[in-house]
Amino acid sequence: MEEESNTLRVLVATDCHLGYMEKDEIRRFDSFQAFEEICSLAEQNKVDFVLLGGDLFHENKPSRSTLVKTIEILRRYCLNDQPVKFQVVSDQTINFPNRFGQVNYEDPNFNVGLPVFTIHGNHDDPAGVDNLSAIDILSACNLANYFGKMDLGGSGVGQISVYPVLIKKGTTFVALYGLGNIRDERLNRMFQTPHAVEWMRPETQDGMSVSDWFNILVLHQNRIKTNPKSAINEHFLPRFLDFVVWGHEHECLIDPQEVPGMGFHITQPGSSVATSLIDGEAKPKHVLLLEIKGNQYRPTKIPLRSVRPFQYAEVVLKDEVDVDPNDQTSVLEHLDKIVRNLIEKSSPPTGNRSEPKLPLIRIKVDYSGFSTINPQRFGQKYVGKVANPQDILIFSKSAKKRQTAGDNVDDSEKLRPEELNQQTIEALVAESNLKMEILPVDDLDIALHDFVNKDDKMAFYACLKRNLDETRNKLNSEADKFKIEEEDIIVKVGECLQERVKQRALSSKEDSRFTSISQNLDTEGKSVTAQSSHSFSDDEDTREMLLGTRSTNTGRKASGFTRSSKDSTDVAKTGTSRRGRGRGTTSMKQTTLNFSQSRSSAAIRSEDVQSSSDEEMETYKANEVVETSESEESLQQTGRKRVAPRGRGRGRGSSSKRGRKGDIASIQSMLMSKDDDDDEDDKPKKSQPRVSKNYGAIRRR
């Protein structure tokens, strides 16, 4: 009994990916069954709490069905009358930065018998104006203790302070450090920047020393060093740590491994559900029971029985003796034989279920020297026998070894799928000498990043809609001045694209000249009125700012968004840009978002027409006062443009009619429209209050 009162028992799991394949009729419940088994194992082994290492949810915005199933499981296993035998002795308002600021089992309105501590991963990381994660929903429901949420403050790469959750059970003292997912490139730079990452140690009190604490770190980052800058080296971590729980990597390496020269051990539990049909995911899935007493620990790995069986194999066709390159039938027979053997290998029932689950089968086929076959057609015969009949086969071709590198490598080898996954649209367009005629490359690049890393299925649609709206508004504004022929529309669309590209480039240049621009804005900022607050309730509004959307509020200066060159996806800065041809200045402040309220295109267009008419009327009256003796002919020679009367005449207008083909005045106005637009931009305009929101949260993108 005395040993039990001094032993802290923790069940460790990572990457549950709840909601994965929720629309698949066969695999939709796999993630929930595995998570429920984890909670059941925690109850059976009478652990003190469950520790999760990120990616609890598969989607950044999980569906209502996923949220309901998750809450049902947590409510079933976490809410009970079992006593909690440990104490949290640290400042809970710092550890759990929510509205309540305390560990969930201390809330007198809830009977929490199994506390759950979790950090966020790259799939369920905080996002939006309020910097909220799906885990915040569980935290607000008092079903999970969400810690390790960082506010990347400071300038440049940022600065974080990692505070531990101090847990005490008898004579065992545990300092639990949590570090939610941060973009790997940024965290890599932070670890190499002095004083960017600060590790807070427990204070010495009641006769205890710092060495009496058993230090655990939970993080969710890349560990495989395919690219040193996009992964975290174990040697970046502090040496005072005793145990590290590493999330994000799905391969199950549950046995703790010692890091040479660092003094701590690392466990990598891996995922509880296979999300990628690769060799690493085919290994048996486990969770870890960690027993801590004093400064010693005892790990016990527990296999998961409810996980769908997964068999993986690799085949090199040219090495198989019974396969003829000229006979496709022999290839099919050989692959069928391998699939049948893998199905038989996974046939034993899993757990206590009466009926075994359909297995996942993946065969990687090296078809060098052979022709490929249709994977969907091949898998039709295995419907009802495997869980993934549509993608049993995946074909690859071994890279040819060449005497010389570089120029002798053909395009098919340069653009292998595994390399395409790491390239940007901008790089592909540059390599292929493509000319973008409708959409800017930068916007497509950001949309691709959101689609891949954030699972945002509307990223490309939002990018397309935004650029079409900008082009449509531009054409409508020009159509009010002169008539556009059908054959000129394509040319005008290209001009609008070039305008947007120039504005993006101008914004990036202004970003690099931050110091000089901010000094100029000190003198100009006096004319800008105070901004009222406005909150955005959807991530799509934020994404519009990231894509460079500008407010078209009556042609005046509007709030914009400028991203820095290195931290463009992490640190947002404020800026102002002038509507028109990309001229203007930009004011930036670190970790601050300055959003402007956008309006519908119809309202904007009507306001632009009215504002333009009013301003032109003022200019017309001023010209009449100063140049009363000048005739219409002399005014046209000076290059100044008179306003065409709309509907009812306004005072004494020009007799020339605009918009009529063949009219000399119309031709001159079309030729001088560019200069006139520049003149109109330089006119003093009344400043109006702009609705905006200043916000300093950081998101990984």
Side-chain angles (χ1 to χ4, degrees), residues 218-261:
V218 188
L219 77 163
H220 190 98
Q221 304 291 154
N222 273 335
R223 188 181 180 190
I224 300 177
K225 304 177 183 62
T226 53
N227 183 0
K229 293 183 179 180
S230 61
I232 303 302
N233 194 311
E234 296 93 339
H235 294 81
F236 288 160
L237 304 179
R239 296 176 181 272
F240 68 81
L241 295 175
D242 299 298
F243 196 80
V244 176
V245 178
W246 204 295
H248 183 65
E249 300 293 346
H250 284 203
E251 182 179 1
C252 183
L253 302 175
I254 199 72
D255 296 319
Q257 303 172 353
E258 184 178 3
V259 180

Side-chain angles (χ1 to χ4, degrees), residues 291-304:
E291 298 175 282
I292 306 171
K293 182 181 179 182
N295 286 329
Q296 298 179 349
Y297 73 92
R298 179 173 60 193
T300 304
K301 61 180 182 180
I302 304 175
L304 295 176

Side-chain angles (χ1 to χ4, degrees), residues 24-150:
D24 187 280
E25 291 297 328
I26 300 177
R27 305 164 62 184
R28 58 183 301 187
F29 297 114
D30 287 4
S31 60
F32 300 104
Q33 292 172 354
F35 183 61
E36 187 166 4
E37 183 184 2
I38 292 172
C39 295
S40 177
L41 289 172
E43 184 180 60
Q44 295 172 16
N45 290 274
K46 298 180 180 179
V47 301
D48 291 295
F49 63 87
V50 176
L51 181 61
L52 303 178
D55 277 356
L56 176 61
F57 294 101
H58 183 70
E59 299 282 349
N60 192 267
K61 300 177 184 178
S63 65
R64 285 175 290 183
S65 175
T66 297
L67 287 173
V68 168
K69 290 184 178 67
T70 303
I71 292 175
E72 287 175 349
I73 295 173
L74 291 175
R75 179 177 174 178
R76 177 181 177 184
Y77 289 94
C78 297
L79 301 184
N80 53 60
D81 293 331
Q82 296 295 326
V84 177
K85 301 178 181 180
F86 67 91
Q87 295 177 333
V88 175
V89 297
S90 56
D91 188 350
Q92 298 181 20
T93 58
I94 297 178
N95 299 140
F96 313 110
N98 53 28
R99 182 175 181 180
F100 304 98
Q102 66 177 2
V103 67
N104 65 343
Y105 68 84
E106 291 186 358
D107 192 323
N109 300 312
F110 290 83
N111 284 336
V112 178
L114 179 61
V116 175
F117 291 82
T118 180
I119 63 173
H120 66 260
N122 60 307
H123 281 257
D124 50 13
D125 61 325
V129 176
D130 294 323
N131 197 36
L132 294 177
S133 165
I135 306 176
D136 282 298
I137 299 177
L138 303 181
S139 177
C141 295
N142 211 44
L143 296 174
N145 298 293
Y146 180 19
F147 71 113
K149 188 176 182 179
M150 297 299 163

